[in-house]
């Protein structure tokens, strides 16, 4: 038989695609003038920042001198720079000191300077791998700050991050309460109040003022700025970065994210919480009443996986804090802990929706099938075994649909000789051929769409797995066989070089999944090709399937090599179980002779009433045939 080759049209098509890609790349090259302007602007910003830092340093030196000696000359200089808030610099707390509060889950260190958290450590979780000895630190080494910009009545603009707060630690029952006061006088101050309860990741955080009506300009809201550069905590920085993003809740309860581009900037209307999510951990600012608005910015810091190993993304939120009767009084909370669905759901604040579960039916499958079923299995058996059993149960539940698909393929395969005869008989009249083919299907009681519908029904479950497993916190640092962490890649070989789009390691579960999908496609493609005859004017599906048999496993190897081993294990077991189910169905449930006899019996009966879709399709074909006849007559 003559082998089919790529025709000239295919070659031209591929060439055009290549030319278009080259053109797009050329068009997207940055304008040299724009790049130069950006560099100049950046240099100016750096210069201004250095000048500002120098000024702040001078103020610090003066504050230290006043605190140590009571030097009135230095005090006058401070008042010139800080106005009423020079009072805070005269206190003994005006020094580089910190206060620590902690419970069994989290340890927080709050600095006098700025009054904000400079270290936040999660006591139960280690970074990179189990046994690393390095606890997860959401905040450390100046990667975060909180600043409120104060505009005074005498036209000064001050930043709380540069000023000294006075700490006062007390206990109310089992709760630790840390009051940090930025004072403009003995009874005039801006206060940050931190409340830490036992065994809780949620930290109470109140911002209030007292007696500042005569100090601050209260005609405009204060500007609260919260910044965080997300530290890398996982083995694969590219995988972690993919799921690191800003989430927020609208006042109507809808939770959304701010985008995944290199740099995203979004104005939020009436948000109730803002979450800086770092794949498996999160820092979330929650308000009891919606903020008026908030400007959030996310910037990707991982430009090169081979080089950048410290940070994933930089987050920033600007939130206006409105005055009420001349004072600030906002009841907030700060969650600093794991992005674990159950833990977040326990707060009943919609926080669990920052866990990516997918939209529509995919989200429903994850929330009401995958999460409870996997949670139940994981509570009794090891997570690797739980994934295998979970996959088997899902595939068994889908087996009736799989049976329907194979049965449809078997029927179509038996009708192929008759369809081929129709093709030969009406080869000069494609429209007539289609009409007669549809009549044959109707007579035989075969629905050509029956093989596609089961596949479409199973598709949401496949897509749900791609959302569920990367977000399953339970898998983090849980081992199975050779994989030391089911939430990260299962490296078996470390490569001395880096392969683009693949990485510098070889993972085994993706290889097993690729082998399984290869044999699955090899077994099914033949039946699909036999079941679906080539239609004139349509792509050669047989040729495409032969290509996909080899392309799909290769794509899986590259796509899954840096993904979590849990997802690769699921895909491996899923394809393996499908192959076994298919073999059982073919051997014990599909009898070609019985099916053929049934088809022949159906042909002798009155044709089934056509469905609305079939009738509509028939009408379209008849209209096209009539139009074609009319066109010939007019010629």
């Amino acid at each position: 038989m003559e082998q089919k080759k790529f025709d000239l049209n295919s070659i031209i098509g591929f060439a055009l695609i290549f030319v278009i890609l080259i053109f797009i790349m050329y068009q997207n090259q940055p304008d040299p003038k724009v790049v130069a302007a950006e560099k100049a602007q950046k240099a100016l910003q750096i210069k201004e920042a250095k000048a500002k830092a120098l000024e702040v340093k001078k103020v610090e030196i003066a504050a230290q001198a006043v605190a140590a000696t009571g030097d009135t000359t230095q005090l006058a200089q401070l008042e010139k720079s800080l106005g009423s808030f020079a009072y805070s610099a005269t206190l003994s707390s005006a020094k580089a000191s910190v206060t620590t509060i902690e419970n069994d889950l989290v340890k927080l260190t709050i600095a006098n300077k700025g009054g904000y958290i400079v270290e936040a450590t999660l006591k139960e979780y280690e970074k990179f791998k189990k046994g690393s000895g390095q606890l997860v630190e959401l905040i450390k080494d100046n990667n975060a700050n909180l600043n409120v910009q104060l505009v005074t009545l005498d036209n000064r603009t001050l930043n709380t991050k540069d000023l000294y707060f006075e700490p006062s630690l007390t206990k109310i029952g089992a709760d630790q309460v840390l009051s940090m006061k930025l004072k403009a006088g003995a009874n005039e101050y801006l206060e940050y109040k931190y409340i830490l309860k036992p065994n809780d990741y949620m930290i109470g955080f109140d911002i209030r003022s007292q007696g500042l009506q005569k100090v601050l300009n209260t005609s405009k809201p204060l500007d609260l700025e919260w910044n965080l550069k997300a530290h890398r905590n996982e083995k694969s920085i590219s995988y972690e970065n993919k799921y690191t993003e800003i989430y927020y809740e609208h006042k109507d309860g809808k939770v959304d994210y701010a985008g995944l581009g290199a740099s995203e900037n979004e104005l939020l209307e009436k948000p109730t919480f803002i979450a800086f999510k770092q794949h498996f951990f999160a820092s979330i600012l929650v308000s009891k009443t919606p903020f008026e608005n908030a400007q959030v910015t996310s910037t990707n810091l991982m430009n090169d996986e081979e080089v950048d190993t410290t940070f994933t993304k930089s987050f920033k939120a600007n939130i206006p804090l409105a005055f009420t009767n001349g004072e600030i009084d906002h009841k907030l909370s700060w969650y600093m802990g794991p992005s674990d669905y159950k833990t977040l759901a326990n707060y009943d604040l919609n926080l669990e929706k920052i866990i990516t579960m997918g939209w529509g039916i995919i989200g429903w499958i994850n929330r009401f099938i995958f999460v409870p079923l996997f949670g139940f299995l994981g509570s009794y058996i090891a997570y690797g075994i739980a994934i295998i059993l979970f996959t088997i149960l899902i595939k068994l539940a889908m087996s009736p649909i799989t049976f329907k698909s194979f049965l449809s393929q078997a029927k179509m395969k038996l009708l192929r000789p008759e369809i081929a005869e129709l093709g030969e008989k009406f080869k000069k009249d494609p429209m007539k051929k289609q009409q007669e083919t549809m009549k044959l299907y109707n007579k035989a009681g075969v629905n050509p769409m029956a093989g596609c519908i089961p596949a479409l029904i199973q598709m949401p479950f496949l897509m749900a797995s791609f959302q569920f497993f990367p977000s399953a916190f339970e898998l983090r640092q849980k081992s199975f066989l050779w994989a030391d962490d089911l939430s990260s890649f299962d490296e078996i070989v470390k490569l001395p070089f880096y392969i683009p789009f693949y990485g510098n390691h070889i993972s085994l579960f993706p290889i097993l999944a690729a082998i399984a999908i290869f044999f699955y496609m090899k077994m099914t493609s033949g039946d699909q090709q036999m079941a679906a005859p080539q239609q004139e004017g349509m792509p050669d599906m047989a040729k495409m399937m032969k290509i996909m048999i080899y392309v799909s496993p290769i794509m899986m190897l590259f796509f899954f090599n840096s993904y979590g081993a849990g997802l690769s294990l699921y895909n491996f077991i899923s394809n393996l179980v499908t192959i076994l189910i298919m073999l059982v169905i073919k051997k014990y449930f599909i009898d070609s002779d019985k099916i053929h006899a049934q088809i022949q019996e159906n042909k002798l009966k009155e044709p089934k009433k056509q469905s609305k879709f079939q009738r509509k399709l028939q009408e379209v074909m008849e209209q096209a045939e009539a139009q074609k006849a009319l066109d010939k007559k007019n010629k």
Side-chain angles (χ1 to χ4, degrees), residues 116-135:
Y116 57 82
I117 299 170
V118 291
E119 289 182 8
T121 305
L122 305 183
K123 295 182 173 182
E124 294 193 329
Y125 302 104
E126 294 176 289
K127 59 171 60 176
F128 305 134
K129 63 179 182 179
K130 193 172 183 178
S132 69
Q134 302 178 65
L135 294 177

Side-chain angles (χ1 to χ4, degrees), residues 7-224:
D7 57 20
L8 181 60
N9 290 335
S10 298
I11 296 170
I12 292 171
F14 283 120
L16 286 172
I17 292 170
F18 178 75
V19 170
I20 290 168
L21 288 173
I22 295 296
F23 176 74
I24 291 171
M25 291 172 65
Y26 175 78
Q27 286 294 104
N28 287 334
Q29 284 184 332
D31 187 336
K33 292 181 179 178
V34 173
V35 172
E38 288 177 352
K39 284 183 178 179
Q41 179 67 21
K42 192 172 182 179
L44 181 61
Q45 288 173 351
I46 292 171
K47 186 178 178 181
E48 289 175 348
K50 285 182 178 178
K52 189 173 181 181
L54 184 61
E55 184 64 29
V56 169
K57 190 66 179 175
K58 287 179 180 178
V59 172
E60 284 184 3
I61 293 170
Q64 290 167 4
V66 171
T69 65
D71 188 336
T72 55
T73 305
Q74 296 284 4
L75 180 59
Q77 183 180 335
L78 280 175
E79 289 176 344
K80 188 175 180 181
S81 300
L82 305 179
S84 298
F85 287 101
Y87 181 86
S88 64
T90 66
L91 304 175
S92 59
S93 56
K95 58 184 178 181
S97 185
V98 297
T99 305
T100 299
I101 55 175
E102 60 184 304
N103 57 23
D104 291 338
L105 302 178
V106 63
K107 178 181 177 182
L108 305 173
T109 301
I110 296 95
N112 287 10
K113 185 180 179 182
Y116 57 82
I117 299 170
V118 291
E119 289 182 8
T121 305
L122 305 183
K123 295 182 173 182
E124 294 193 329
Y125 302 104
E126 294 176 289
K127 59 171 60 176
F128 305 134
K129 63 179 182 179
K130 193 172 183 178
S132 69
Q134 302 178 65
L135 294 177
V136 169
E137 296 170 291
L138 298 182
I139 301 176
K140 69 166 188 172
D141 299 337
N142 299 313
N143 73 313
N145 69 60
L146 181 79
N147 180 59
V148 176
Q149 195 170 80
L150 306 173
V151 180
T152 64
L153 289 171
D154 53 359
N155 294 321
R156 288 185 177 85
T157 300
L158 305 174
N159 293 295
T160 60
K161 66 180 180 180
D162 300 325
L163 305 176
Y164 287 96
F165 286 66
E166 183 180 54
S168 174
L169 180 60
T170 58
K171 289 197 76 173
I172 300 178
D175 299 348
Q176 300 171 67
V177 180
L178 176 62
S179 170
M180 304 292 293
K181 292 180 179 177
L182 172 61
K183 292 190 170 182
N187 296 306
E188 296 85 38
Y189 53 82
L190 175 72
E191 180 186 34
Y192 297 163
K193 183 184 287 185
Y194 298 90
I195 305 165
L196 183 62
K197 297 178 181 179
N199 297 305
D200 202 344
Y201 291 107
M202 189 70 76
I203 304 130
F205 180 60
D206 297 345
I207 302 179
R208 60 180 288 266
S209 66
Q210 178 176 299
L212 295 183
Q213 303 99 320
K214 295 180 180 180
V215 177
L216 298 178
N217 180 354
T218 60
S219 63
K220 292 181 180 180
L222 296 182
D223 182 28
L224 171 69

